[in-house]
């Protein structure tokens, strides 16, 4: 009898996984129709970064801190400053198949698969009905904000963080329900995924947990065990992200860097509405929206709240929170960063459209609770699902056919050339003095990039006379460099964050090499082993 029950559970899990895989394919495949891909600036940056990282790992080495392939071609420290450990889903395919175009397709499918699985786990907390769980998964996968992140912006950092947010939410719910082991594991996995992919999202997680605990203190529901559990999750997460955070702090320690500013670019209600009714999307932040069906669900839930008599139900509270978030996202009220409270809170996130992730998460919870209360039948759920999928797939195909501003067409044959193009500018996290003076540089030389490998880059330099020249290449005080001119070691000068090197008259070969200190291998091992241990404990817990 027991074996029959186990077999039923196993078969049910296989069916669930098959449906999740199918949904992930449906949201991924249309992005590559009609067999072409136009990369955004963000995509060019991230894919060049991943290509260098994959090249290093293929050589059984950790990547050096500076970028020698693409991303501005100025030796900036974007490898160290941008987390990548959670982006294995795209890095491993690049390593294995050596075709970045195809690797991108596989990577996006795997990312959508992770997103769907994590949302299914969150939905399982709120409902036992499989149809309701899959509506939650579909809503989280197919809403237009998610499609913008994946296919208009191709921002892998935010896309990966988006995938792990549901685990943070459900982890906190389990902890608040005194299910400390399950809550600790889920919260830790969620934070690990976010900390190793997108630092702004990590800030959002910290703010979320802080607000939840403040509310529970006010309601006098918080316990010492709860605080200890969250502390344990924080320690686990710090260990699993020690490599990522360590590199970031290391670069910041001795270098004054150019860091993206604090501002509040709000979504235009007019632009967003026009794209909403046209069932379309663009990369431009002013036009971001949640999509026809998702927006319709929010309005429907709000209508249901207004219809309710008596006290507001729990699902209604979540609906009101979701609607309230839209007043920050849209330009109903201008948010001015001259006020320090706005500057150092909302201003850190720069584009208010990023808060759509909060809106959609709260909307999913509200919908699940409403479905549970109303016990909506299967047919109506299927209708919602079909409408959501059809409108979303249509918007993806229309986007590909229509195109967008500042797109760079790329194929397997042109991939490396496009990603390593000198036109791909990137100045974030270069030394601030270099950022201020780079455009004013008028040194009488010509510099041409010739080749690169996992730890070095080679240039051809043409100068009119002997002398020391300031190059448009970043110099970081605590990064190890080895510089060779015409295969001979030479002295490296630094002038406020820019390299200065002596060259003889005529054409010379410049080779710049960097290395990875053993401490980073230790921290990488700690991060990797801790992460694997948490996942192992999670699976063993459920088995």
């Amino acid at each position: 009898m027991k074996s029959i029950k186990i077999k039923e559970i196993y078969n049910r899990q296989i069916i669930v996984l098959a449906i999740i895989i199918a949904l992930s394919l449906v949201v991924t495949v249309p992005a590559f129709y009609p067999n072409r891909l136009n990369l955004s600036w963000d995509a060019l940056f991230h894919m060049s970064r991943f290509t260098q990282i994959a090249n290093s790992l293929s050589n059984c080495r950790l990547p050096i801190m500076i970028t020698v392939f693409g991303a501005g071609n100025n030796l900036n420290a974007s490898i160290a400053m941008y987390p990548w450990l959670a982006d294995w889903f795209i890095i491993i395919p690049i390593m294995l198949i050596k075709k970045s175009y195809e690797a991108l397709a596989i990577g996006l499918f795997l990312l959508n698969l992770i997103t769907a699985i994590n949302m299914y786990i969150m939905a399982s907390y709120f409902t036992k009905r499989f149809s309701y769980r899959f509506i939650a998964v579909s809503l989280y996968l197919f809403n237009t904000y998610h499609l913008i992140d994946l296919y208009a912006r191709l921002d892998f950092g935010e896309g990966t963080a988006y995938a792990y947010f549901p685990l943070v939410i459900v982890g906190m719910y389990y902890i608040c329900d005194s299910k400390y082991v399950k809550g600790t594991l889920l919260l830790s996995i969620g934070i690990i995924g976010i900390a190793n992919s997108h630092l702004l999202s990590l800030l959002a997680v910290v703010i979320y947990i802080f607000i939840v605990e403040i509310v529970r203190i006010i309601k006098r529901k918080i316990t010492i065990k709860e605080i200890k559990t969250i502390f344990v999750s924080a320690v686990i997460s710090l260990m699993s992200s020690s490599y990522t955070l360590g590199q970031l702090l290391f670069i910041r320690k001795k270098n004054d860097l150019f860091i993206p500013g604090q501002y509040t670019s709000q979504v235009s209600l007019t632009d967003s509405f026009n794209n909403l009714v046209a069932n379309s999307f663009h990369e431009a932040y002013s036009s971001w929206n949640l999509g026809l069906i998702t927006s319709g669900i929010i309005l429907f839930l709000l209508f249901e709240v207004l219809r309710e008599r008596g006290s507001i139900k729990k699902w209604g509270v979540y609906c009101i929170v979701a609607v309230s978030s839209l007043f920050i996202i849209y330009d109903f009220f201008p948010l001015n960063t001259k006020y320090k409270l706005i500057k150092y809170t909302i201003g850190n996130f720069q584009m208010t459209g990023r808060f759509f992730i909060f809106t959609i998460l709260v909307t999913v919870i509200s919908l699940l609770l409403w479905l549970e209360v109303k016990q909506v039948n299967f047919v109506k759920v299927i209708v919602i699902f079909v409408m959501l999928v059809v409108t979303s797939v249509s918007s993806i195909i229309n986007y590909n056919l229509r195109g967008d501003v500042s797109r760079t067409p790329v194929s397997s044959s042109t991939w490396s050339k496009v990603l390593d193009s000198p036109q791909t500018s990137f100045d974030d996290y270069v030394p601030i003095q270099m950022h201020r003076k780079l455009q004013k540089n008028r040194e009488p030389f010509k510099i041409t990039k010739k080749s690169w490998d996992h730890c070095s880059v080679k240039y051809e330099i043409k100068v009119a006379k002997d002398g020391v020249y300031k190059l448009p290449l970043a110099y970081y005080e605590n990064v190890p460099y080895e510089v060779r001119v015409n295969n001979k070691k030479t002295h490296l000068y630094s002038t406020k964050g820019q390299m200065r090197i002596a060259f003889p008259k005529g054409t010379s070969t410049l080779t710049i090499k960097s290395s990875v200190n053993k401490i980073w291998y230790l921290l990488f091992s700690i991060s990797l082993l801790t992460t694997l241990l948490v996942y192992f404990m999670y699976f063993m817990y459920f088995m």
Side-chain angles (χ1 to χ4, degrees), residues 387-407:
M387 290 172 63
L388 179 63
V389 172
V390 169
T391 55
S392 298
V393 170
S394 173
S395 67
I396 296 171
I397 294 174
N398 287 339
Y399 177 80
N400 286 344
L401 295 174
R402 185 187 65 250
D404 204 345
V405 295
S406 303
R407 301 291 97 174

Side-chain angles (χ1 to χ4, degrees), residues 114-133:
I114 296 165
T115 305
I117 291 172
N118 291 345
M119 174 47 71
Y120 185 86
I121 292 170
M122 189 190 99
S124 299
Y125 173 86
F126 295 98
T127 179
K128 292 182 179 180
R129 293 187 62 170
F130 290 99
S131 59
Y132 295 174
R133 293 176 185 178

Side-chain angles (χ1 to χ4, degrees), residues 131-140 367 371 381 384-385 388:
S131 59
Y132 295 174
R133 293 176 185 178
F134 284 118
I135 274 294
V137 171
S138 302
L139 193 59
Y140 201 61
L367 179 63
L371 289 170
V381 171
I384 297 171
F385 166 76
L388 179 63

Side-chain angles (χ1 to χ4, degrees), residues 59-103:
N59 284 278
C60 300
R61 297 286 188 274
L62 285 178
I64 57 177
M65 293 185 178
I66 58 174
T67 304
V68 296
F69 176 70
N73 283 294
N74 53 18
L75 303 188
N76 62 75
S78 61
I79 300 292
M81 296 302 293
Y82 282 84
W84 58 269
L85 285 184
D87 296 315
W88 59 266
F89 59 86
I90 182 68
I91 294 170
I92 291 177
I94 294 174
M95 290 172 59
L96 295 179
I97 66 177
K98 307 298 181 183
K99 294 182 179 180
S100 297
Y101 183 88
E102 290 78 1

Side-chain angles (χ1 to χ4, degrees), residues 212-250:
V212 168
E213 292 308 295
I214 289 296
V215 170
R216 287 180 62 78
I217 288 172
I218 293 171
K219 290 184 174 182
R220 297 183 180 180
K221 290 185 176 181
I222 197 167
T223 63
I224 297 298
K225 185 74 179 286
E226 181 179 321
I227 296 172
K228 287 181 179 179
T229 302
I230 293 173
F231 178 76
V232 169
S233 292
V235 172
I236 293 171
S237 302
L238 281 172
M239 290 178 65
S240 295
S241 56
S242 57
Y243 174 81
T244 294
L245 299 178
Q247 291 224 322
L248 184 148
L249 294 173
F250 182 80

Side-chain angles (χ1 to χ4, degrees), residues 32-88:
F32 292 85
Y33 174 84
N35 196 29
R36 68 180 182 190
L37 192 64
N38 293 320
L39 295 184
S40 67
W41 182 92
D42 277 322
L44 291 171
F45 164 66
H46 287 297
M47 290 306 295
S48 63
R49 192 166 58 94
F50 294 153
T51 301
Q52 181 180 328
I53 292 167
N55 186 280
S56 297
L57 297 177
S58 296
N59 284 278
C60 300
R61 297 286 188 274
L62 285 178
I64 57 177
M65 293 185 178
I66 58 174
T67 304
V68 296
F69 176 70
N73 283 294
N74 53 18
L75 303 188
N76 62 75
S78 61
I79 300 292
M81 296 302 293
Y82 282 84
W84 58 269
L85 285 184
D87 296 315
W88 59 266

